[in-house]
């Protein structure tokens, strides 16, 4: 099928490459010339595990191309997907739909033949109606349907999730659009569940899912705080809880609070939608407030640990909002570092992928290291902020030799507490107390 994707970010690019790999003819459009130039030179504009290989392969085959030219991209397309950003409005925290609406207006001019316009971006309930109205107003003779096609890709695992989706949700109000979508998703028929719903239900499913996952993380973090006081161990507790298939094992990892470009934005947008429709969403509102509070508290924890030697070096391991990505948007690690900067001017951070993005936010307020060892050299405390797998295998005996003091604050529970203890570290983690 001929597929056009508008927006080449963390959703649009992996989705485009994925559909190209499945044999479709894909064109990706973006407004940022530097991005399109780079992609046309065969270089990726973001890091995603496994994307590089598939990207090169499909560029070479000619099954995916990149352009600034909306007209050229949209004419003749069977499906046009909107994958542009819906960032939070700085004041109201509602999803800002200006890019969606601008894209709808622009693409409308070039629709020819029956086309399905599918919204992949996370958009508030009713946006599909608005997009439909904009297209109809701009091009009254266009033959089209607007469907909601929420994406459930996790950053860092986008390629894996694209090819192995738990479910494909299609929110379409017309039979014709449903059959086009079924054709596009035909390769997933055997391995994934399909759900055909009303467009408004589909838009809600995306927010309700992200808000639920955010609440699950908030819940386990709250339990972790309880365990610290009550002498229980959150990892054991989470394991026991997860064995109940109704609860499930996933998303029970305690940490410094959730972050990223999705959960904070989507929980806030959902809370605003609750207000708009007069529906009480207390659980979501509490989750948002407590998650913000948690990040500040975690920064305080680090400062407390160096209070007797405030000029001591803090080695920060991890700046990305989670492991496996270079993305620092709404990263708890960055927020915690910002809290630490208020009290320390001796912070040195290492991240395997996210340093360049972190620099855009933190600038030269901290130093940056090229390795775990460089960050930890002469440090008073090592603070683990992102769940990179590399951190699990740190050789603590060797690191202790180069640190100035043997102290670890592991806000992702990545290290082995016993190992830390055996090597003489004072070890603090989340949701359990260890004495050296
Ligand atoms: C999230 C959802 O998981 C995807 O299904 C969804 O498609 C995506 O948002 C989106 O809306 O586009 P993502 O933001 O990539 O994906 O990240 P997650 O893996 O969900 O992690 C979000 C945050 O929660 C991270 O800061 C992570 O460290 C934290 N987290 C996650 C925990 O603290 N504990 C956990 O057990 C899991």
């Amino acid at each position: 099928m001929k597929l056009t994707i508008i927006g080449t970010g963390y959703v649009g690019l992996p989705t485009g490459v994925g559909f190209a790999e499945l044999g479709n003819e894909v064109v990706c459009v973006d407004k940022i010339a530097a991005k399109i130039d780079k992609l046309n030179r065969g270089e990726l504009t973001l890091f995603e595990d496994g994307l590089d290989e598939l990207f090169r392969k499909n560029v070479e085959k000619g099954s995916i191309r990149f352009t600034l030219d909306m007209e050229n991209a949209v004419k003749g397309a069977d499906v046009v997907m909107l994958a542009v950003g819906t960032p939070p409005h700085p004041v109201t925290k509602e999803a800002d739909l200006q890019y969606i609406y601008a894209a709808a207006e622009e693409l409308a001019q070039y629709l020819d033949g029956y086309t399905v316009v599918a919204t992949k971006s996370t958009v508030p309930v009713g946006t599909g109606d608005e997009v439909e109205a904009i297209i109809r107003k701009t091009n009254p003779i266009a033959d089209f349907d607007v469907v909601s096609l929420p994406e459930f890709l996790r950053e860092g695992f986008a390629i894996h999730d694209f090819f192995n989706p738990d479910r494909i949700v299609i929110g379409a109000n017309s039979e014709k659009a449903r059959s086009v979508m079924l054709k596009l998703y035909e390769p997933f028929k055997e391995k994934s569940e399909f759900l055909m719903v009303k467009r408004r239900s589909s838009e809600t499913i995306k927010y309700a899912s992200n808000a639920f996952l955010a609440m699950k993380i908030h819940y386990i973090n709250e339990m972790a705080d309880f365990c610290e006081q009550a002498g229980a161990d959150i990892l054991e507790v989470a394991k026991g809880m997860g064995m109940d298939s109704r609860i499930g094992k996933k998303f029970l990892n305690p940490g410094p609070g959730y972050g990223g470009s999705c959960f904070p934005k989507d929980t806030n947008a959902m809370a605003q939608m609750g207000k708009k429709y007069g529906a009480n969403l207390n659980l979501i509102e509490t989750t948002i407030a407590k998650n913000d509070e948690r990040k500040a508290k975690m920064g305080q924890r680090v400062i407390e640990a160096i209070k007797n030697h405030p000029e001591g070096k803090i080695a920060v391991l991890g700046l990305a909002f989670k492991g496996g990505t270079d993305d620092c948007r709404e990263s708890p690690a960055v927020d915690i570092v910002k809290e630490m900067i208020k009290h320390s001017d001796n912070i040195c951070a290492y991240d395997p992928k996210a340093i360049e993005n972190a620099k855009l936010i933190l600038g030269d307020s901290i130093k940056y290291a090229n390795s775990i060892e460089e960050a930890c050299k002469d440090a008073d405390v090592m603070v683990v902020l992102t769940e990179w797998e590399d951190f699990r295998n740190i050789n603590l005996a060797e690191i202790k030799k180069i640190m100035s003091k043997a102290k670890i604050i592991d806000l992702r529970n990545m290290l082995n507490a016993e190992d830390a203890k055996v090597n003489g570290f004072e070890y603090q983690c989340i949701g359990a107390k260890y004495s050296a």
Side-chain angles (χ1 to χ4, degrees), residues 227-229 231-237 301 407-410 413-422 425-436:
C227 287
E228 281 171 24
Q229 300 308 321
D233 182 331
I234 191 64
L235 295 186
E236 293 175 354
V237 172
R301 232 185 232 205
K407 204 176 260 191
I408 296 174
I409 302 185
D410 181 1
N413 289 6
M414 293 299 288
L415 306 179
N416 182 307
E418 253 337 284
D419 191 21
K421 207 167 138 181
V422 166
F425 278 94
E426 188 185 316
Y427 179 73
Q428 266 189 51
C429 63
I430 298 275
K433 283 218 162 87
Y434 291 94
S435 45

Side-chain angles (χ1 to χ4, degrees), residues 178-404:
R178 267 180 229 127
S179 63
V180 172
M181 287 295 104
L182 282 178
K183 193 169 163 209
L184 182 65
Y185 281 95
E186 170 87 31
F188 297 94
K189 232 171 70 190
E190 300 303 321
K191 55 175 166 185
S192 159
E193 285 198 73
F194 278 65
L195 182 67
M196 296 285 181
V197 290
K198 295 190 193 83
R199 198 162 61 198
R200 282 186 175 235
S201 305
S202 170
E203 288 166 341
T204 307
I205 285 169
K206 175 60 196 265
Y207 279 104
S209 301
N210 271 6
F212 185 83
L213 292 171
M215 283 192 313
K216 196 171 180 187
I217 297 167
H218 164 57
Y219 182 81
I220 204 68
N221 285 339
E222 207 164 73
M223 280 304 123
D225 289 347
F226 174 82
C227 287
E228 281 171 24
Q229 300 308 321
D233 182 331
I234 191 64
L235 295 186
E236 293 175 354
V237 172
K239 198 169 180 182
M241 286 169 62
M243 284 171 170
D244 183 330
S245 61
R246 294 169 303 175
I247 296 174
K249 292 182 172 48
K250 294 178 182 165
F251 272 69
L252 286 178
N253 298 317
Y258 61 78
S261 67
C262 303
F263 287 174
K265 165 176 81 74
D266 295 348
T267 44
N268 273 305
M270 187 79 214
Q272 292 310 316
M273 277 191 274
K275 290 202 176 88
K276 178 176 169 190
Y277 290 104
N280 204 330
L281 298 179
N282 278 342
L283 278 174
I284 296 177
E285 283 172 11
T286 305
T287 298
I288 297 166
K290 292 290 167 190
N291 193 61
D292 287 344
E293 212 176 88
R294 182 169 187 82
K295 289 184 283 182
K297 271 193 191 157
M298 292 295 137
Q300 290 303 328
R301 232 185 232 205
V302 179
I303 297 307
E304 178 67 24
I306 58 153
K307 70 170 188 249
N308 295 331
H309 190 218
E311 64 278 12
K313 178 178 173 186
I314 305 175
V316 166
L317 300 189
L319 291 165
F321 83 93
K322 64 172 187 178
T325 176
D326 61 351
D327 197 347
C328 287
R329 287 175 292 171
E330 299 278 335
S331 169
V334 169
D335 286 344
I336 291 167
V337 169
K338 280 185 185 163
E339 193 64 33
M340 284 154 47
I341 289 168
K342 294 180 196 161
H343 307 268
S344 166
D345 56 7
N346 195 2
I347 301 169
C348 183
Y350 167 72
D351 187 288
K353 297 280 179 207
I355 295 223
E356 289 314 312
N357 284 337
K359 275 184 185 167
L360 298 175
I361 311 170
L362 295 168
D364 56 8
S365 56
I366 61 167
K367 292 189 192 71
Y368 301 91
N370 291 315
S371 64
I372 296 172
E373 291 72 22
E374 190 187 335
C376 291
K377 181 141 184 9
D378 301 324
D380 276 20
V381 58
M382 173 208 291
V383 186
V384 182
L385 293 181
T386 305
E387 67 272 41
W388 281 105
E389 278 307 308
D390 302 10
F391 300 158
R392 222 180 270 290
N393 307 316
I394 292 175
N395 184 330
L396 292 180
E398 290 302 315
I399 283 287
K400 185 164 179 244
K401 291 182 197 155
I402 60 170
M403 284 181 68
S404 152

Side-chain angles (χ1 to χ4, degrees), residues 120-166:
K120 269 255 159 249
S121 311
T122 301
V123 292
V125 182
T127 304
D129 302 358
E130 199 59 40
V131 168
E132 192 175 303
I134 290 172
I135 297 176
R136 206 168 292 294
K137 191 170 165 217
T138 314
N139 185 351
I141 57 161
D143 183 13
F144 72 101
D145 274 304
V146 173
V147 309
S148 159
L149 198 61
E151 61 85 15
F152 302 105
L153 308 178
R154 290 164 302 162
E155 275 184 45
F157 299 91
I159 292 297
H160 171 271
D161 291 352
F162 177 87
F163 289 103
N164 304 282
D166 283 345

